[in-house]
Amino acid sequence: MELPREMPELAAERGYRLRGWREADTGLLREAAADPYIPLITTVPAPYGEAAAAAFLERQWRRTEIGTGYPFVLVDPEGRPVGNVGLWVADLALRGCASTGYWLAPSARGRGAAGIGLRAVSRWALEELGIARLELHVEPWNAASLRTAERSGYRRAGLRTAHQEIGGEPRDMWRYVRP
């Protein structure tokens, strides 16, 4: 399967859209870097700094160019960047599935935006790219993210003990799959 090497723009529900990262998205990155959890589970730099932000943006652009993933910025109906939804395809040939993940800036939470972004990226991956299976992992305590996964058509497929290191400690993660 030949995957695109350029970031598409995707329409999503309720006027949201998804697009690639831009230099103008540093405000979103700054807010995410100040969150106590996002930098622990992502490559968002903390503390925030201009050089670290530039390196982050460069990594996002490179992921699509080299074929390892699609890091989308989720943009609200007013045009404000509010979060990130990623589709990671590096292990697709080996494992037969791709993985997804998402985060929202604290100021954008509680309005269903994460689910809107996750559903749009999942639909693109399954229907347009023809990826047969998607998975994502969520810590058991993260009730909001568990609801987002389930409301986005993912089903719980088991607990993976000590699956991911977060903050220097191995953490259990619920594995979700779609379809």
Side-chain angles (χ1 to χ4, degrees):
M1 160 186 339
E2 186 67 31
L3 297 174
R5 296 293 173 114
E6 294 182 6
M7 284 296 295
E9 283 212 18
L10 305 177
E13 303 161 27
R14 296 183 7 211
Y16 282 81
R17 62 188 175 85
L18 294 114
R19 58 158 173 80
W21 280 87
R22 299 178 182 160
E23 289 180 9
D25 294 327
T26 55
L28 170 63
L29 189 56
R30 182 185 304 273
E31 185 177 354
D35 183 84
Y37 189 62
I38 292 172
L40 291 178
I41 61 168
T42 69
T43 62
V44 169
Y48 178 88
E50 288 184 30
F56 174 88
L57 291 172
E58 188 63 39
R59 281 193 307 275
Q60 304 321 298
W61 300 329
R62 186 91 177 109
R63 289 174 182 190
T64 304
E65 291 171 7
I66 65 173
T68 61
Y70 301 90
F72 289 95
V73 171
L74 179 62
V75 180
D76 73 10
E78 290 76 43
R80 185 175 70 107
V82 297
N84 182 83
V85 182
L87 173 67
W88 312 115
V89 297
D91 295 334
L92 185 58
L94 178 65
R95 299 183 55 237
C97 70
S99 62
T100 58
Y102 46 89
W103 56 260
L104 285 181
S107 65
R109 294 177 185 158
R111 290 174 265 189
I116 289 170
L118 181 59
R119 284 188 296 277
V121 169
S122 299
R123 190 171 35 256
W124 177 66
L126 295 166
E127 296 174 10
E128 293 187 38
L129 298 181
I131 295 172
R133 184 181 211 72
L134 302 173
E135 70 178 18
L136 64 87
H137 294 88
V138 181
E139 284 192 88
W141 63 264
N142 194 338
S145 195
L146 295 170
R147 281 191 306 275
T148 295
E150 291 166 0
R151 290 177 180 164
S152 299
Y154 285 76
R155 67 176 171 75
R156 195 176 290 190
L159 185 68
R160 291 190 165 172
T161 58
H163 177 71
Q164 184 175 341
E165 188 174 300
I166 298 175
E169 297 180 20
R171 302 278 182 95
D172 296 347
M173 304 289 270
W174 281 112
R175 179 176 171 255
Y176 279 84
V177 296
R178 185 173 169 189

